[in-house]
């Protein structure tokens, strides 16, 4: 009888063990068993029919920040989306997942030895004085990166480069393009700028009640308050070191601080709704940091609390689409040597505005639109008058008087030595490149709605370059790299469409 009981007991234990394993696999697996509602969380993104929850997305999003800090600019910006102005990392996360899948599909699998060999050649280590300890202390540690995470990032970086080069096999730069780029890079300009200021024109713009009403009627569905978000937070600050602390002591303290913050972050990230309760155990002065916790009532990105005001990078991450309700952020720099960890606790959706509330914003928008049109028309008219006078053989000074504009001389400049002025240097360079002597540029719009510019090029001097052949070889290599990037981006965008990704 005892033998039979033991046999039955053994079988029962095996069954119970199997059930426990299945239960844990179901509850804690990353696989999307229940259509994106595992653990009560919805899918943050979905790629190739696989659900990625918020915590996974936040981890993958941190690869973008680390890649940028590691100077992997091409890798980061191509996957993020070139010419993007927002700070939403969601598209980067989608691209990273797709990159890994495509690399695996094409058999591109950097080995452990390749990854190890690539580390010393990473862009950041090409700068004098950058050490592995500095990278660990200032980049990897604060972003919660383990050795495994770093190895994965290097693997992704190598996969990207191999895919880009594979797609761009056979690409070659045209010699005439190289010569053109060389000439443009070695030109020195003697030029003047003509400014058309929008703010001055705005003072003369009068907005009527009828125009405000019409704008409200046409745009009422889009006139809403800004979204507001509320957060619980833990703020970590390093302990103050003695004034006579050595560089070695400072380095050790910085590393200990970063590691301690990461250990605390691991607990906070698992705390969920009990975020502040978990934070309490770290409050006050600890061995390697001091910490305070609290809450921020819902606020807009444009109207943050005083403690966060001015930290645009931090605010962008808090209002990113990748950061979802009830999520916990990775450690974010305070701007003062410390770190915040945030729990996204509350969200207030945009609410419709009535006419009275919306009136100031409408008046501002209409004033900007009308004054912008006024200065744009003035710049176009001035350009036409200048060109007409110059074509008639008039000197530029006389042409400027005829066009009734004031031209301000700029210090001589080139692509290698950008103009030092109150204007955006890139705008000025882009405006004059391609112009000949005694020519006026197209109308150039300034950033942030400041107005418009015209550039007049008086003379152009070509540098003498003793390293002309080497410079041209470098230009050729850069051109070919750009062509490969363009081909890769087109191919990769098609793969993204095929992935049926959603966010």
């Amino acid at each position: 009888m005892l033998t039979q009981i033991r046999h039955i007991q053994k079988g029962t234990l095996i069954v119970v063990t199997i059930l426990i394993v299945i239960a844990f696999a179901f509850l804690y697996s990353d696989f999307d068993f229940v259509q994106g509602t595992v653990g009560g969380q919805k899918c943050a993104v979905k790629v190739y029919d696989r659900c990625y929850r918020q915590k996974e997305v936040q981890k993958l999003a941190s690869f973008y920040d680390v890649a940028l800090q590691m100077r992997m600019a091409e890798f980061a910006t191509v996957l993020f989306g070139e010419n993007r102005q927002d700070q939403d990392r969601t598209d980067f996360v989608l691209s990273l997942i797709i990159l890994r899948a495509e690399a695996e599909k094409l058999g591109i699998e950097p080995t452990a030895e390749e990854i190890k060999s690539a580390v010393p050649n990473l862009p950041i280590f090409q700068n004098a004085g950058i050490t592995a300890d500095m990278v660990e202390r200032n980049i990897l540690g604060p972003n919660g990166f383990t050795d495994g995470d770093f190895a994965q990032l290097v693997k992704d970086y190598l996969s990207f480069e191999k895919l880009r080069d594979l797609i761009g096999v056979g690409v070659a730069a045209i010699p005439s393009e190289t010569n053109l780029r060389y000439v443009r890079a070695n030109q020195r300009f003697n030029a003047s700028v003509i400014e058309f200021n929008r703010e001055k024109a705005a003072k003369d713009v009068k907005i009527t009640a009828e125009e405000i009403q019409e704008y409200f009627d046409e745009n009422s569905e889009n006139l809403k308050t800004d979204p507001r978000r509320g957060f619980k937070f833990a703020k970590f600050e390093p302990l103050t070191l003695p004034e006579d602390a050595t560089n070695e002591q400072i380095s050790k303290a910085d590393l200990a601080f970063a590691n301690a913050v990461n250990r605390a972050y691991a607990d906070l990230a698992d705390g969920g709704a009990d975020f502040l309760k978990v934070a309490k155990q770290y409050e006050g002065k600890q061995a390697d940091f001091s910490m305070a916790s609290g809450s921020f009532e819902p606020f807009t990105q444009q109207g943050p609390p005083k403690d966060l005001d001015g930290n645009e990078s931090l605010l962008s991450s808090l209002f990113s689409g990748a950061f979802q309700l009830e999520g916990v952020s990775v450690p974010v720099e305070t701007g003062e040597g410390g770190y915040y960890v945030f729990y996204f606790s509350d969200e207030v959706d945009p609410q419709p505005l009535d006419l009275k509330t919306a009136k100031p914003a409408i008046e501002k928008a209409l004033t900007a639109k009308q004054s912008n049109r006024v200065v744009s028309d003035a710049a176009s008219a001035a350009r036409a008058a200048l060109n007409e006078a110059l074509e008639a053989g008039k000197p530029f000074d006389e042409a400027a008087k005829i066009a009734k504009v004031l031209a301000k001389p700029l210090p001589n400049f080139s692509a290698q030595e950008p103009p030092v002025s109150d204007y955006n240097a890139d705008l000025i360079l882009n405006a004059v490149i391609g112009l000949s002597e005694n020519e006026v540029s197209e109308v150039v719009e300034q950033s942030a709605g400041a107005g418009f510019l015209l550039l007049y090029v008086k003379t152009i001097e070509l540098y003498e370059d003793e390293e002309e052949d080497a410079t041209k070889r470098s230009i050729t290599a850069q051109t070919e790299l750009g062509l490969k990037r363009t081909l890769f981006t087109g191919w990769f965008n098609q793969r993204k469409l095929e992935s049926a990704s959603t966010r």
Side-chain angles (χ1 to χ4, degrees), residues 193-196 375 377-391 394-407 440 454 456:
V193 63
I194 303 166
E195 179 183 12
F196 299 86
V375 290
D377 291 346
S380 296
R383 181 176 184 274
L386 286 168
N387 282 332
E388 184 179 350
L390 292 172
E391 289 170 5
K394 304 286 186 183
F396 177 72
D397 289 345
E398 188 175 338
K401 290 179 182 178
I402 293 171
K404 298 179 180 179
V405 294
L406 176 64
V440 178
L454 288 175
Y456 167 72

Side-chain angles (χ1 to χ4, degrees), residues 59-70:
K59 183 63 179 179
L60 291 172
S62 69
F63 275 61
Y64 173 74
D65 299 310
V66 174
L68 277 186
Q69 293 175 62
M70 295 292 294

Side-chain angles (χ1 to χ4, degrees), residues 205-460:
V205 173
K206 305 298 180 185
I207 306 298
T208 66
E210 289 75 14
E211 289 174 323
I212 293 174
Q213 182 67 58
E214 182 181 359
Y215 185 96
F216 179 80
D217 293 340
E218 292 176 355
N219 299 278
S220 58
E221 292 184 1
N222 300 319
L223 292 172
K224 297 180 179 180
T225 59
D226 292 328
R228 292 187 293 150
R229 292 184 173 186
F231 302 91
K232 298 174 183 177
F233 70 86
K235 184 178 182 181
F236 298 88
E237 294 182 300
L239 299 178
T240 302
L241 295 176
E243 292 184 3
D244 59 351
T246 64
N247 289 334
E248 182 180 0
Q249 289 173 325
I250 293 173
S251 296
K252 287 182 177 179
D254 288 345
L255 183 59
F257 173 61
N259 289 336
V261 170
N262 283 327
R263 288 193 295 271
Y265 163 69
D267 291 338
L268 292 168
D270 288 336
D274 293 328
F275 181 88
L276 288 182
K277 182 178 179 181
V278 174
K280 290 295 181 183
Q281 63 184 305
Y282 293 104
E283 277 194 347
K285 187 175 181 180
Q286 303 294 325
D288 297 305
F289 61 78
S290 62
M291 196 275 275
S293 62
S295 301
F296 290 122
E297 293 299 317
F299 60 89
T300 65
Q301 186 172 353
Q302 293 71 32
K306 182 179 178 181
D307 290 349
L308 308 183
D309 194 16
N311 195 331
E312 298 303 325
S313 176
L314 181 151
L315 291 169
S316 294
S317 66
L318 291 183
F319 283 83
S320 165
F323 194 12
Q324 296 187 349
L325 193 63
E326 298 183 356
V328 177
S329 75
V330 296
V332 185
E333 291 186 32
T334 63
E336 302 170 348
Y339 293 96
Y340 275 113
V341 176
F342 292 95
Y343 172 74
F344 187 176
S345 59
D346 196 10
E347 185 170 33
V348 180
D349 292 330
Q351 301 298 313
L353 294 173
D354 57 30
L355 178 59
K356 182 179 179 181
T357 308
K359 183 179 177 180
I362 294 174
E363 193 166 12
K364 183 178 179 181
L366 289 174
T367 299
K369 182 179 179 180
Q370 293 188 23
S371 58
N372 205 56
R373 185 170 61 246
V374 168
V375 290
S376 176
D377 291 346
S380 296
R383 181 176 184 274
L386 286 168
N387 282 332
E388 184 179 350
L390 292 172
E391 289 170 5
K394 304 286 186 183
F396 177 72
D397 289 345
E398 188 175 338
K401 290 179 182 178
I402 293 171
K404 298 179 180 179
V405 294
L406 176 64
K408 301 176 183 178
L410 292 170
N412 287 2
F413 62 89
S414 68
Q416 307 301 327
E417 299 175 11
V420 179
S421 68
D422 295 333
Y423 312 106
N424 184 299
D426 289 339
L427 286 181
I428 293 176
L429 281 171
N430 291 334
V432 299
I433 286 178
L435 293 181
S436 300
E437 294 182 344
N438 200 38
E439 280 193 356
V440 178
S441 72
E442 297 288 339
V443 176
V444 179
E445 185 172 7
Q446 295 188 74
S447 58
F452 296 85
L453 300 175
L454 288 175
L455 276 299
Y456 167 72
V457 174
K458 184 178 181 180
T459 59
I460 302 174

Side-chain angles (χ1 to χ4, degrees), residues 46-75:
K46 203 168 188 177
V47 191
Y48 300 120
D49 291 326
R50 184 189 185 279
C51 174
Y52 291 81
R53 292 174 291 177
Q54 184 180 343
K55 192 172 181 180
E56 295 174 281
V57 170
Q58 284 183 255
K59 183 63 179 179
L60 291 172
S62 69
F63 275 61
Y64 173 74
D65 299 310
V66 174
L68 277 186
Q69 293 175 62
M70 295 292 294
R71 314 284 173 83
M72 302 173 179
E74 183 189 18
F75 165 78

Side-chain angles (χ1 to χ4, degrees), residues 63-125:
F63 275 61
Y64 173 74
D65 299 310
V66 174
L68 277 186
Q69 293 175 62
M70 295 292 294
R71 314 284 173 83
M72 302 173 179
E74 183 189 18
F75 165 78
T77 54
V78 170
L79 296 192
F80 182 73
E82 296 182 83
N83 302 317
R84 287 275 298 278
Q85 298 299 316
D86 61 84
Q87 295 295 316
D88 188 345
R89 272 76 164 161
T90 309
D91 282 349
F92 174 84
V93 171
L94 296 173
S95 295
L96 186 59
I97 294 169
I98 294 166
L99 175 76
R100 292 175 179 178
E102 291 299 326
E104 182 180 359
K105 189 186 302 181
L106 293 172
I108 295 175
E109 188 77 13
T111 64
E113 189 57 38
E114 284 180 302
I115 293 171
K116 183 179 179 180
S117 300
V119 171
N121 297 316
L122 293 176
I124 193 167
F125 292 119

